[in-house]
Amino acid sequence: MLELLETPLTVLHVFCAMVLIFIILLQPGKSGGLTAALGGGAGTQQVFGGRGAGNFLTRGTWGLATTFFMTSVLLAYVSSSTDDSIKDKKAHSHKMHHAAPKPADTAPKK
């Protein structure tokens, strides 16, 4: 059952990581952040208001960081909750690929 959640959790985890990187880069630091480097200093004040960009980005960072850590814990639990080890999974996969019988050679031997 938990294996069904592994793919959506992985997608959510990667999405959170990418957006989290972007939001952190947008936050103004001592030198103004990525928005100042791209010339967006005045534009962010128009969109978010004078102090609104900092609050919005801070809340977004906390929310995404929480989601990132929760998906990390859940993915670790899902991967450790299966009974098979990685070696067992590879061996089982190898058996499944090589389990098909080879067709009999019907040509007469010379």
Side-chain angles (χ1 to χ4, degrees):
M1 175 64 186
L2 288 175
E3 291 82 18
L4 294 174
L5 294 174
E6 190 170 5
T7 301
L9 278 175
T10 304
V11 170
L12 179 64
H13 187 72
V14 170
F15 177 76
C16 284
M18 297 301 234
V19 174
L20 190 59
I21 291 169
F22 183 69
I23 284 181
I24 289 172
L25 288 175
L26 280 179
Q27 290 184 9
K30 292 180 181 178
S31 63
L34 185 64
T35 55
L38 297 176
T44 56
Q45 287 184 355
Q46 290 175 355
V47 174
F48 297 114
R51 183 81 178 124
N55 290 336
F56 175 75
L57 293 175
T58 303
R59 288 181 188 158
T61 302
W62 277 106
L64 284 169
T66 303
T67 305
F68 180 81
F69 286 119
M70 293 302 293
T71 56
S72 297
V73 169
L74 287 171
L75 284 169
Y77 177 74
V78 167
S79 69
S80 67
S81 66
T82 59
D83 293 336
D84 296 338
S85 68
I86 293 175
K87 288 181 182 178
D88 293 340
K89 287 180 183 178
K90 282 186 178 179
H92 181 69
S93 173
H94 186 69
K95 284 181 187 176
M96 294 302 289
H97 290 301
H98 297 303
K102 293 183 180 180
D105 189 16
T106 57
K109 293 184 179 184
K110 295 181 182 181

